[in-house]
Amino acid sequence: MKKNVTLAILSAAVIGLGPFIVSCDNVTDPAADKIDGAVGIVFPNDYLRWDNDEARFRAALTAAGVEHTILRSADSSVTEATHVANLIESGIKVLVLCPVSSADAASAAEAAHAAGVTVIAYERLITETAAVDYYVSFKSLDVGRMQGQYLIDHATGTGNPLYLYAGNQTDNNSFLFFAGSWSVLQPKIADGTFVIANSQAADGLKESATLTHDQISTIFGTNAISGTPPAMTVDGITTHWSYDDAKTLCERNLSTVNASASLKGSVFVLGPNDYTARGIIAALDGDSAVTSYVITGQDAEKDSVQSIIDGYQSMTVFKDVRTLASDAAAAVIEVLKGKTPATLGSFNNGVKEVPSVISDIVQVTAANVREALIDTGYYSASDFTGL
Ligand code: GAL
């Protein structure tokens, strides 16, 4: 068992609640308080991450008496488009969409708009289209910064092997996470604190303080996992948000760097989220030349929280989906009442400034699991052992 023996740092636990606020436009019209119409909600896949969101959504909409249908897209933009077409056909007034692919979802959003449906992008932005009315998410750049800073705060000396991993080429959030991480890690790569172990593309850009979307895309790579292990120059760092792909990729990276012992020992890993971090940890645990690791995560999934308590995963970024789901449900209800949900800012999707509510995130380590996740009622202490 290789444990992260470094001390956890208690982060400033700030939860920024950014609820949609009832706008003042038509508060005097009693007819406007009547909810009229149904909502369709489409999540990208069956991963655990979305179960929490779904449960919170269902509860909020049921309590408000809103007719709703919740579907999953099996990580397929084609399935997603079919779901959206069926929901439009069924007569929904509002579509809440967490896209499989931020760009490919533009056509589904446009179809919804053409049918007079209000479109809310949920967690992941829908890009390159004017057919998005609202965006509800978290501070994704901060997620990446928090992950990168954690690695920096736990590294000493120089030459620390750094393994970089990312989510998915199609997910706009993946670019924001990576850009955030790079903004803090890059100076520490340039000054030799870290040595990138698994991406020649990233290593080639180590003098660049900021990266363009295309440069990040190049680092992400094509990264087909099946087949012969690709050479390090072309393998890419994306995990497709999949445990299995993350594990396989890390195993291949470890076998590629086998000849160079200096890239093993105590390693530092940018784990993009909890599910993939657990896959990477399985790979790291399978390599006896890796003696310890510091690895990040995201989402505060129960299995990763247990892993943090047990001393394997080092940290996670807690995104309180109670806030996300209630913000989105509040927006849905406002629209169905014929009102305009007030927003707290905007997010550019390449075509327009999308009115947005973007919530803060919280770092969780072994030191503050109880305070951040139990005391806030997100999980119960009985969900875990050894707390
Ligand atoms: C991202 C999301 C993360 C994570 C990931 C995999 O878009 O921001 O929280 O859940 O998808 O599902």
Side-chain angles (χ1 to χ4, degrees):
M1 183 165 79
K2 291 182 285 286
K3 295 197 176 189
N4 161 36
V5 291
T6 48
L7 281 178
I9 290 183
L10 184 68
S11 72
V14 186
I15 300 179
L17 299 178
F20 278 95
I21 301 156
V22 178
S23 82
C24 299
D25 293 357
N26 43 16
V27 285
T28 52
D29 177 5
D33 279 340
K34 190 174 167 298
I35 291 174
D36 178 23
V39 56
I41 299 158
V42 185
F43 292 119
N45 54 43
D46 287 328
Y47 292 163
L48 198 65
R49 156 70 223 264
W50 310 111
D51 292 356
N52 256 335
D53 301 61
E54 179 168 336
R56 311 288 183 184
F57 240 118
R58 227 179 253 294
L61 294 174
T62 303
V66 177
E67 193 187 320
H68 56 274
T69 306
I70 303 182
L71 301 169
R72 308 273 189 128
S73 303
D75 265 336
S76 157
S77 290
V78 175
T79 304
E80 180 181 274
T82 305
H83 283 338
V84 171
N86 289 338
L87 288 166
I88 295 168
E89 182 66 28
S90 78
I92 56 162
K93 290 255 173 70
V94 183
L95 172 69
V96 176
L97 178 58
C98 181
V100 171
S101 159
S102 299
D104 290 351
S107 48
E110 281 157 17
H113 245 213
V117 173
T118 299
V119 177
I120 301 175
Y122 184 85
E123 173 77 42
R124 300 175 180 171
L125 190 55
I126 302 165
T127 57
E128 305 303 331
T129 178
V132 195
D133 298 291
Y134 303 103
Y135 179 41
V136 189
S137 193
F138 294 97
K139 291 183 177 170
S140 295
L141 278 168
D142 283 357
V143 171
R145 283 192 198 106
M146 194 174 269
Q147 293 170 329
Q149 192 59 47
Y150 187 91
L151 299 178
I152 292 166
D153 290 344
H154 293 81
T156 52
T158 56
N160 296 287
L162 175 64
Y163 290 76
L164 298 172
Y165 295 101
N168 210 347
Q169 280 275 11
T170 58
D171 172 11
N172 189 59
N173 282 0
S174 299
F175 285 79
L176 298 173
F177 301 148
F178 194 81
S181 297
W182 188 262
S183 71
V184 293
L185 285 171
Q186 181 273 334
K188 295 295 178 184
I189 298 165
D191 77 6
T193 303
F194 293 113
V195 175
I196 298 174
N198 68 326
S199 170
Q200 288 186 359
D203 192 56
L205 289 161
K206 70 181 173 200
E207 300 302 331
S208 304
T210 55
L211 299 175
T212 64
H213 190 277
D214 283 354
Q215 286 171 326
I216 295 177
S217 180
T218 301
I219 293 171
F220 281 8
T222 49
N223 207 22
I225 295 290
S226 56
T228 315
M232 204 169 87
T233 42
V234 293
D235 68 1
I237 63 165
T238 53
T239 59
H240 315 121
W241 293 122
S242 148
Y243 174 102
D244 289 336
D245 286 3
K247 179 171 178 284
T248 303
L249 180 59
C250 183
E251 282 166 351
R252 288 186 182 177
N253 289 156
L254 291 171
S255 93
T256 307
V257 302
N258 231 349
S260 171
S262 66
L263 291 177
K264 294 197 178 171
S266 294
V267 303
F268 292 78
V269 184
L270 183 66
N273 76 347
D274 286 349
Y275 193 43
T276 52
R278 297 199 301 276
I280 294 165
I281 286 170
L284 297 171
D285 282 345
D287 190 323
S288 59
V290 175
T291 51
S292 73
Y293 44 80
V294 177
I295 180 168
T296 62
Q298 169 181 198
D299 291 336
E301 288 185 1
K302 275 185 195 167
D303 285 352
S304 281
V305 174
Q306 187 63 59
S307 176
I308 290 169
I309 294 167
D310 294 342
Y312 290 90
Q313 191 173 316
S314 312
M315 62 84 86
T316 188
V317 179
F318 173 39
K319 300 160 80 169
D320 192 333
V321 301
R322 292 174 298 190
T323 310
L324 194 65
S326 74
D327 284 354
V332 167
I333 290 163
E334 287 300 284
V335 173
L336 293 178
K337 284 179 176 173
K339 296 179 179 178
T340 303
T343 47
L344 299 172
S346 68
F347 213 96
N348 193 294
N349 80 338
V351 168
K352 71 178 276 197
E353 289 291 328
V354 184
S356 303
V357 174
I358 307 293
S359 294
D360 285 341
I361 41 115
V362 178
Q363 176 167 289
V364 176
T365 67
N368 71 333
V369 165
R370 189 173 281 281
E371 176 196 338
L373 300 174
I374 311 298
D375 295 350
T376 58
Y378 196 75
Y379 292 134
S380 7
S382 61
D383 290 332
F384 306 104
T385 55
L387 235 195

